Amino acid sequence: DLLMQVEGKPKCCFFKFSSKIQYNKVVKAQLWIYLRPVKTPTTVFVQILRLIKPMKDGTRYTGIRSLKLDMNPGAGIWQSIDVKTVLQNWLKQPESNLGIEIKALDENGHDLAVTFPRPGEDGL
């Protein structure tokens, strides 16, 4: 979907599940995201948004989780987010799986979530 792209790259993460797992019971589901290092202490607001079919008012997503994290200078960090309910819903209704959008904005509006490596940045 071109509406879900920025500079030709998807701004969402799409997960495709095999029909073999569709009827399994989900006991636990964690999404791990990597946040780029920061140079100064900062507060980061992490949002995980589930993409949905556009509503009449133009809304294209609904919130899954929001976190407020304090980050210190140094190495980047891994953060886990519980997505069990989202996964259960996707398995019950696979057609509702349009993907998720991950945002991790610092106090200056910089997105620290690594969904695509930047030039010169190693992949995960």
Side-chain angles (χ1 to χ4, degrees):
D1 184 349
L2 294 176
L3 295 175
M4 299 314 301
Q5 293 188 11
V6 174
E7 296 175 6
K9 295 180 182 175
K11 67 174 188 176
C12 65
C13 298
F14 181 75
F15 297 89
K16 195 172 200 170
F17 302 103
S18 162
S19 59
K20 293 178 183 177
I21 69 160
Q22 190 168 355
Y23 301 103
N24 289 329
K25 180 179 178 181
V26 177
V27 177
K28 183 177 182 180
Q30 297 284 15
L31 174 67
W32 286 86
I33 60 172
Y34 183 75
L35 303 178
R36 289 183 173 91
V38 295
K39 294 180 180 176
T40 59
T42 189
T43 300
V44 179
F45 298 92
V46 179
Q47 285 186 299
I48 308 298
L49 307 166
R50 183 173 65 93
L51 303 178
I52 58 175
K53 292 181 181 175
M55 297 171 64
K56 289 181 182 177
D57 67 358
T59 301
R60 295 188 55 96
Y61 58 85
T62 181
I64 294 174
R65 294 279 184 271
S66 294
L67 300 170
K68 180 180 171 185
L69 303 171
D70 292 321
M71 286 185 65
N72 292 312
I77 62 169
W78 285 97
Q79 178 65 48
S80 73
I81 297 174
D82 180 7
V83 291
K84 178 182 172 181
T85 303
V86 174
L87 181 57
Q88 287 172 326
N89 291 335
W90 280 346
L91 294 176
K92 286 178 193 170
Q93 298 177 308
E95 68 280 359
S96 72
N97 179 6
L98 301 180
I100 60 173
E101 186 173 346
I102 301 167
K103 295 181 182 181
L105 304 178
D106 69 9
E107 296 164 342
N108 297 316
H110 299 115
D111 195 350
L112 301 179
V114 177
T115 53
F116 291 97
R118 291 179 180 161
E121 199 173 48
D122 288 334
L124 299 178

